[in-house]
Amino acid sequence: MVALTARETSLWAKKSTEEGEQYWLPLAVHLIDTSHVINWLFLHWLDEGQRLFLEQSLSEESLQKLIKFLGFFHDFGKATPAFQTKASYDGNRSLDGELIDRLNRHGFADLTDLVLASPQKSPHALAGEALLESKRFRIPQSVGAIIGGHHGKAGNPPRHQIRDYTANYFQVDGHSNDSMKEAHRQELAQSWQDAQQRLFDYGLALAGYQNAEEIPEVSQPEAVLLEGLLIMADWLASSEYLDNSHREPLFPLIRVDQSFQDVDLLKRYQNGILTWKRTDKWEPREVQLTNANGPVDPYFERWGFRAHHTQLVMTKAIQDALDPGMVVVEAGMGSGKTEVALLAAEELAYKTGRNGVYMGLPTQATSNAMFERFLRWAKQLADQEGKQLSIDLAHSKSAFNLSLRALPRATNVYDRDELVAKTPAARRLQGKTGATVVDSWLTGKKEMLNDFIVGTIDNLLLMGLKKKHLFLRHLGFSGKVVILDEVHAYDTYMTSYLERSLNWLGAYHVPVILLSATLPVDKRNVLLRAYLRGKYGRRYQSQLVAPADWETAQAYPLLTILDGSEIKQTTKFGPTDGVSKNLRVQRLNLPDTELATAILQKIQDGGVAGVIVNTVRRAQELTKLILDSCDSRVEVMLLHSAYLAPDRAKQERELQAKIGKNGQRPNRLVVVGTQVLEQSLDIDFDVLYTDIAPMDLILQRAGRLHRHAITRPKELQNPEVFIMGIQGLATYDAGDQAVYGQYLLMKTDHFLGDTIRLPEDISPLVQKVYSSSTDAEVKKSEQAQADGEVNEFEQAQADFAQLQCDSKKKAKVFQIAKPNFKPDATIHSWLDNDYGDLGKDGQKASAAVRDIQESLEVILVKCTNQGAFLLDGRPIQKVASREIAEQVIRIPVAITAYSSELDAAITELEKRTQKYFAEWQLDPWLRGDLALPLDDHLSTTLGRWRLTYSSKLGLSYAKEDDYD
């Protein structure tokens, strides 16, 4: 193997000054570190399923060579004068001079006063690719692109980079007519070329190659995962310490008086990995349905309840799949789909070699609620194996989640005295149980590398968004089983991103489980095709084996499994589980004052009334009317999104305690809420009032009616649903129409009869509303024709079609392309015209993959002559920063509806924050946050609006004119 000389080992990769001490890191050390690290990650961190995917076109030996090659050559572009003459970030000229002198002493020359014309034109990632793809080294472009993109984005192939900026690579360019000067110039250039050649020969041998011709091409999807792995390895090998405390070194710099020869490379690598590895890998097991003693109920083992027949049939069908890809579970609300999905995740992880699970849900509220259940399940897995498994809650407010904050931080899983792993078996023998832990290294852009994650659907949809460092997100998801709950809840814009994400999950052969109680057939088909297209390419239909009626199947419950290229559907589940419910449906068109009275009269002899409306403002106004109309013996609760996080959490806990499963139900209670009551909360109403909404949402809301088998008031023995907001044929409240559009409301109104039988009617009703094949029936309705409604329906139909078309076009603007398996496809330009830097702004990330208007979040505080306080009365200076940061709320969109209003609001809030809380900018919890100071009455003005907060009603707003 070729040896490195003092010339190559004098090149630097990093330099810094700390407390007056100068440090550097030889480039060769960093390249070898990264080669070791990426090789370890490939062998011990990647899942078997990820390795099998990468080995589709390469043998394990060939792939491992390529892995080590990428690790070593990722910073090859630093072996250039453009990089070696860069100044220190802190401007330490002494350190810069010391390293330049070192270079001049060991084979380079004339660097002290070198001034390059355009060094910024050759950043080291691009320079490395340009060198490696040049005629000197000739590595494949598909591999070179990975080198060029290891800082998060691969641009165009650098075909003319060295020609156009020669001096950046070899110190000189052009030609001198003076023969002596030209000879010296050639010597300067040759010193760089020789150093680069020796580094290349050394790295090639380190990877196990004899020559560059052995380096293989890779497909675009393979390159995406390899890029993600390289970025991870580079970040790890570039981490001097495990965290900001600087107590535990990983790959630290060395003193400037030390050299390459002073570094024990093997010990350094071992220490880095031993310190970094804080969690174990889950080793999934096959779900046991039988043993030597007969049938086994895995549901009872995990959750302590006996599985119903449908659950067992679904679990067995999933277990029988040979090459499971996508699983779609359609069953009624409260039927145990979550438990089916978690067991399926265990089985699919076992079958496909995955070591993690991601569960995505529509909102932060549903994610928080699911996290509790998911956490208990994951802890069982950890206990079974005596392991530390990393877990995370992924949404922008997760730092405030009490369950996440209560989890232990990951600790080292190695015995440092013996430098051997503390095996799970050994830990079990020592009486230690497993743990679900938080790994502090896996945060920010690395968050999706955790093994077990619950989060909002945005995390998955962002797989389809052109965004720097997207490779890391793809790497994280490619190693998991993906569960997506409430897949009916995503609009056309979000579904477009979901389709693209499924394309790529299919390409990586990632098993996906979709759950829904109210999934339209067309959407099911779209999602299945998206996965098939990703896994088998454009011609997937030529391989597809499926029942003749798979595209129109409306059985309920329904299990659809994509097993290889075969679609299997289970429609018969034997004995019926549970009892059907007949819901009486009545339309109710009353002024709100009379509505409040009617609701109270309905529960005059006892009972719990649920009132679900479509806007926060309507919920607040209706609550005030009910409070004005009732006496103290009636409890009234309000729940919506416009509460401070602590107040909302308190409301949810109180609501769950009153009308959740086994709750202590009050004699008379009215619960008013918005769409937040549709999902996540396991609550039970005796009677339901709901604004008109699309059919699937009405059915979801109806799922909260007579949910549990309990004793009910005599007058409320039979479940009743009252539909509000229908003022006449094709005439609905403006707020309802603004939220959902007229087309779906008209179709829902048309097909919603006087009774609903649950769960039998769920699928037929949903399909009728969402299928375009039923539009003619609505237009031909005698009632519609008699009142001239046909024209209005046709206009609503056209508006709906146009909205869908516009949403799809809008979603495509920043969307990545489908996976490209063509031989010449690379990751070059894969992220061109990207969305820009989202940074740590979770709201901007959500806005990118949800068709929502950007809004403002503020921290509510009370500012008076006596000082600044939280709204609960505590002086702000006595409250921890994290708790202050929890007092966040979103400004209503109506207040910042136009960009000019948004900009004006930001400017005004920045002034107020600077006036009262300038010190926040120095606080890691509060930096960048905006304060909205309220007066003694918890009120303030912002622009043309007056905002008022109360713990009972939340944040309300009105135009200032309304107070005149």
Side-chain angles (χ1 to χ4, degrees):
M1 182 174 177
V2 65
L4 298 176
T5 69
R7 178 181 55 200
E8 293 80 53
T9 59
S10 68
L11 296 166
W12 63 271
K14 302 174 186 297
K15 53 184 177 180
S16 70
T17 304
E18 294 181 21
E19 298 179 353
E21 190 79 36
Q22 295 178 342
Y23 298 90
W24 78 303
L25 189 67
L27 175 60
V29 172
H30 180 56
L31 300 183
I32 295 168
D33 281 347
T34 310
S35 183
H36 284 156
V37 168
I38 196 172
N39 187 53
W40 186 91
L41 291 174
F42 171 71
L43 293 173
H44 304 289
W45 183 84
L46 272 190
D47 297 340
E48 180 188 0
Q50 291 170 303
R51 288 196 297 272
L52 289 174
F53 170 74
L54 292 171
E55 290 169 10
Q56 287 182 114
S57 56
L58 298 174
S59 68
E60 183 177 357
E61 180 184 2
S62 296
L63 181 58
Q64 191 170 359
K65 288 180 181 179
L66 179 60
I67 291 285
K68 290 188 284 188
F69 178 90
L70 291 171
F72 185 87
F73 284 100
H74 79 288
D75 272 355
F76 189 50
K78 289 184 176 180
T80 60
F83 183 85
Q84 292 298 311
T85 56
K86 285 182 69 172
S88 301
Y89 287 120
D90 58 4
N92 189 320
R93 294 185 180 181
S94 172
L95 176 58
D96 294 342
E98 173 65 33
L99 294 179
I100 288 292
D101 288 345
R102 187 189 296 265
L103 291 169
N104 285 332
R105 292 195 305 270
H106 293 101
F108 301 100
D110 299 352
L111 292 175
T112 303
D113 299 316
L114 178 66
V115 178
L116 297 171
S118 305
Q120 74 281 359
K121 295 292 187 180
S122 304
H124 74 267
L126 180 67
E129 179 183 359
L131 285 169
L132 291 169
E133 291 179 7
S134 69
K135 293 180 180 179
R136 293 170 59 202
F137 303 121
R138 296 181 181 278
I139 74 160
Q141 272 198 8
S142 60
V143 175
I146 299 173
I147 301 298
H150 81 270
H151 276 252
K153 183 178 178 181
N156 294 318
R159 293 187 178 91
H160 306 302
Q161 170 69 204
I162 297 177
R163 182 198 70 184
D164 294 344
Y165 304 103
T166 306
N168 289 346
Y169 293 84
F170 311 126
Q171 196 170 336
V172 294
D173 56 11
H175 180 79
S176 174
N177 292 326
D178 185 314
S179 59
M180 292 185 63
K181 288 184 178 179
E182 181 60 23
H184 180 63
R185 287 160 52 83
Q186 290 300 322
E187 288 177 6
L188 294 176
Q190 193 63 47
S191 65
W192 288 101
Q193 292 170 3
D194 289 348
Q196 291 160 1
Q197 185 65 55
R198 188 169 285 271
L199 275 173
F200 182 79
D201 293 341
Y202 181 89
L204 204 65
L206 184 69
Y209 291 123
Q210 299 294 320
N211 54 66
E213 286 72 24
E214 296 177 16
I215 300 171
E217 295 275 8
V218 293
S219 71
Q220 185 200 60
E222 290 167 344
V224 171
L225 295 193
L226 290 171
E227 184 75 277
L229 190 65
L230 178 58
I231 292 171
M232 181 183 179
D234 183 27
W235 284 2
L236 177 51
S238 298
S239 298
E240 296 180 54
Y241 298 93
L242 184 64
D243 54 39
N244 292 332
S245 70
H246 288 197
R247 289 193 296 266
E248 298 180 87
L250 292 179
F251 296 92
L253 277 58
I254 62 176
R255 296 192 316 274
V256 77
D257 61 347
Q258 294 178 299
S259 68
F260 175 83
Q261 286 71 27
D262 295 318
V263 180
D264 185 331
L265 291 167
L266 179 60
K267 184 177 180 180
R268 174 183 171 87
Y269 149 68
Q270 288 179 331
N271 180 77
I273 292 297
L274 290 171
T275 302
W276 174 79
K277 191 177 188 307
R278 300 258 146 175
T279 57
D280 300 298
K281 276 291 182 183
W282 173 44
E283 296 181 19
R285 308 174 186 179
E286 185 176 18
V287 174
Q288 294 296 313
L289 294 175
T290 60
N291 60 22
N293 298 320
V296 173
D297 185 347
Y299 291 84
F300 185 79
E301 290 184 347
R302 286 158 182 78
W303 296 289
F305 68 80
R306 295 295 177 187
H308 56 67
H309 198 72
T310 299
Q311 288 175 317
L312 290 174
V313 171
M314 287 185 172
T315 299
K316 180 64 168 64
I318 293 167
Q319 188 174 70
D320 289 343
L322 301 177
D323 180 20
M326 181 180 283
V327 175
V328 186
V329 179
E330 298 174 61
M333 294 74 73
S335 61
K337 295 187 294 298
T338 298
E339 289 76 16
V340 171
L342 293 176
L343 267 184
E346 293 183 41
E347 183 68 27
L348 299 185
Y350 169 78
K351 283 182 177 292
T352 65
R354 261 68 192 184
N355 297 104
V357 179
Y358 168 82
M359 190 161 195
L361 298 106
T363 65
Q364 292 182 12
T366 52
S367 299
N368 287 338
M370 184 58 69
F371 186 63
E372 305 293 331
R373 300 166 68 183
F374 190 90
L375 184 59
R376 290 192 292 271
W377 168 75
K379 179 64 165 65
Q380 281 189 331
L381 300 179
D383 286 343
Q384 283 176 3
E385 302 180 22
K387 291 184 174 181
Q388 289 188 137
L389 304 179
S390 68
I391 194 165
D392 187 45
L393 176 62
H395 61 66
S396 61
K397 299 295 183 296
S398 62
F400 306 135
N401 184 275
L402 295 177
S403 296
L404 182 67
R405 281 161 48 181
L407 288 174
R409 283 347 186 215
T411 56
N412 204 279
V413 297
Y414 283 95
D415 185 330
R416 290 189 159 276
D417 294 331
E418 300 178 11
L419 292 182
V420 296
K422 293 178 180 176
T423 65
R427 287 204 292 273
R428 284 197 297 271
L429 287 174
Q430 295 169 10
K432 296 181 179 178
T433 60
T436 46
V437 298
V438 174
D439 190 332
S440 58
W441 197 81
L442 297 177
T443 58
K445 294 183 177 71
K446 306 187 291 288
E447 185 175 29
M448 290 300 114
L449 302 179
N450 282 284
D451 287 333
F452 291 85
I453 304 174
V454 173
T456 51
I457 187 68
D458 314 60
N459 295 287
L460 180 84
L461 302 185
L462 285 167
M463 277 189 75
L465 180 72
K466 290 182 179 180
K467 178 70 184 73
K468 194 175 181 182
H469 295 111
L470 181 62
F471 308 98
L472 279 173
R473 189 172 296 273
H474 279 239
L475 177 66
F477 276 108
S478 66
K480 295 178 178 61
V481 177
V482 172
I483 305 172
L484 301 179
D485 199 6
E486 311 284 3
V487 290
H488 60 273
Y490 308 124
D491 61 19
T492 302
Y493 184 93
M494 294 175 71
T495 298
S496 178
Y497 273 98
L498 179 54
E499 287 179 59
R500 189 49 40 88
S501 300
L502 289 173
N503 289 157
W504 283 90
L505 292 175
Y508 302 137
H509 300 190
V510 169
V512 178
I513 304 164
L514 306 181
L515 308 178
S516 178
T518 55
L519 185 64
V521 168
D522 289 346
K523 180 169 284 191
R524 180 211 306 149
N525 296 339
V526 163
L527 300 180
L528 283 166
R529 288 194 183 98
Y531 189 93
L532 283 162
R533 170 66 173 79
K535 188 171 183 178
Y536 297 107
R538 290 181 301 171
R539 296 185 175 86
Y540 71 86
Q541 289 177 314
S542 63
Q543 304 178 54
L544 185 62
V545 177
D549 63 344
W550 75 274
E551 293 176 292
T552 57
Q554 295 186 23
Y556 199 83
L558 176 64
L559 176 68
T560 304
I561 300 175
L562 186 57
D563 188 359
S565 58
E566 181 179 1
I567 292 176
K568 300 176 178 178
Q569 291 186 316
T570 303
T571 60
K572 299 186 184 302
F573 296 92
T576 302
D577 298 310
V579 179
S580 296
K581 288 189 297 189
N582 286 311
L583 278 57
R584 183 184 176 198
V585 179
Q586 301 178 62
R587 288 159 171 78
L588 195 63
N589 183 22
L590 295 174
D592 283 351
T593 52
E594 295 180 25
L595 174 62
T597 301
I599 293 169
L600 292 169
Q601 287 178 344
K602 192 70 177 175
I603 61 167
Q604 62 184 344
D605 294 325
V608 178
V611 185
I612 304 179
V613 298
N614 294 333
T615 65
V616 171
R617 200 166 191 179
R618 174 160 160 74
Q620 291 170 329
E621 291 170 351
L622 192 53
T623 298
K624 286 189 282 188
L625 288 172
I626 294 171
L627 286 169
D628 290 341
S629 304
C630 71
D631 57 41
S632 59
R633 291 172 296 178
V634 179
E635 296 183 44
V636 181
M637 295 186 66
L638 174 62
L639 189 63
H640 52 65
S641 59
Y643 281 104
L644 289 175
D647 287 346
R648 177 168 170 178
K650 180 182 176 183
Q651 292 277 72
E652 289 183 354
R653 288 194 299 270
E654 185 178 345
L655 189 61
Q656 203 76 50
K658 290 180 184 293
I659 60 171
K661 195 168 187 178
N662 302 318
Q664 300 299 309
R665 298 175 76 84
N667 183 43
R668 286 191 289 170
L669 170 67
V670 179
V671 180
V672 183
T674 57
Q675 292 87 340
V676 298
L677 294 176
E678 288 172 9
Q679 302 160 334
S680 79
L681 294 173
D682 184 9
I683 53 179
D684 185 325
F685 300 131
D686 294 317
V687 61
L688 176 66
Y689 296 78
T690 172
D691 279 345
I692 182 72
M695 184 68 77
D696 54 327
L697 302 187
I698 285 182
L699 293 170
Q700 288 284 345
R701 296 172 186 186
R704 271 65 192 159
L705 180 62
H706 286 220
R707 190 176 179 91
H708 304 132
I710 60 175
T711 302
R712 302 185 188 277
K714 181 179 179 181
E715 297 301 317
L716 302 176
Q717 294 287 319
N718 299 314
E720 292 181 285
V721 180
F722 293 91
I723 308 295
M724 308 176 295
I726 304 175
Q727 299 172 354
L729 292 173
T731 307
Y732 311 101
D733 285 349
D736 301 336
Q737 203 158 297
V739 174
Y740 297 117
Q742 192 176 22
Y743 172 75
L744 291 178
L745 296 185
M746 291 178 72
K747 293 196 72 175
T748 299
D749 192 6
H750 177 79
F751 288 111
L752 190 61
D754 296 334
T755 59
I756 299 175
R757 185 172 177 81
L758 297 182
E760 290 84 352
D761 287 346
I762 291 177
S763 184
L765 288 174
V766 170
Q767 310 317 329
K768 286 177 181 177
V769 168
Y770 281 93
S771 173
S772 59
S773 65
T774 61
D775 287 355
E777 180 180 340
V778 179
K779 285 190 283 189
K780 291 179 181 178
S781 166
E782 291 184 9
Q783 187 180 27
Q785 290 177 358
D787 291 86
E789 188 185 348
V790 174
N791 290 335
E792 289 197 48
F793 179 77
E794 288 177 342
Q795 184 60 53
Q797 185 182 25
D799 292 343
F800 180 73
Q802 186 62 52
L803 179 63
Q804 286 191 307
C805 181
D806 293 344
S807 293
K808 288 178 181 178
K809 287 182 180 178
K810 186 177 178 181
K812 299 292 184 186
V813 173
F814 295 112
Q815 227 172 70
I816 61 172
K818 297 182 179 73
N820 189 342
F821 285 94
K822 291 181 179 178
D824 59 346
T826 71
I827 58 171
H828 282 125
S829 306
W830 189 55
L831 301 179
D832 277 4
N833 304 312
D834 67 2
Y835 192 77
D837 186 15
L838 297 177
K840 296 180 180 179
D841 193 329
Q843 185 179 335
K844 283 188 176 179
S846 294
V849 292
R850 296 177 186 251
D851 194 10
I852 58 176
Q853 183 177 335
E854 187 177 351
S855 59
L856 279 178
E857 286 189 337
V858 296
I859 293 176
L860 289 187
V861 291
K862 183 171 71 171
C863 292
T864 70
N865 293 333
Q866 285 73 43
F869 305 85
L870 294 189
L871 301 197
D872 62 11
R874 287 178 292 163
I876 206 165
Q877 67 269 22
K878 295 183 179 180
V879 180
S881 298
R882 182 172 61 189
E883 196 168 353
I884 297 171
E886 289 181 0
Q887 314 302 309
V888 69
I889 201 164
R890 184 159 294 172
I891 297 291
V893 173
I895 294 175
T896 56
Y898 302 101
S899 58
S900 58
E901 292 176 323
L902 180 63
D903 294 341
I906 292 173
T907 300
E908 176 59 27
L909 291 169
E910 286 175 340
K911 290 178 182 177
R912 298 185 195 183
T913 306
Q914 181 64 27
K915 177 181 178 180
Y916 292 103
F917 308 107
E919 69 277 7
W920 282 9
Q921 298 311 310
L922 303 177
D923 190 302
W925 278 97
L926 300 169
R927 186 183 302 119
D929 286 336
L930 297 172
L932 181 62
L934 306 178
D935 60 22
D936 279 322
H937 304 290
L938 300 186
S939 185
T940 191
T941 59
L942 185 63
R944 301 178 294 114
W945 302 85
R946 175 166 289 276
L947 293 90
T948 304
Y949 187 84
S950 78
S951 58
K952 185 70 176 178
L953 297 175
L955 184 67
S956 57
Y957 64 98
K959 286 185 179 179
E960 276 283 86
D961 296 347
D962 295 345
Y963 289 86
D964 295 342

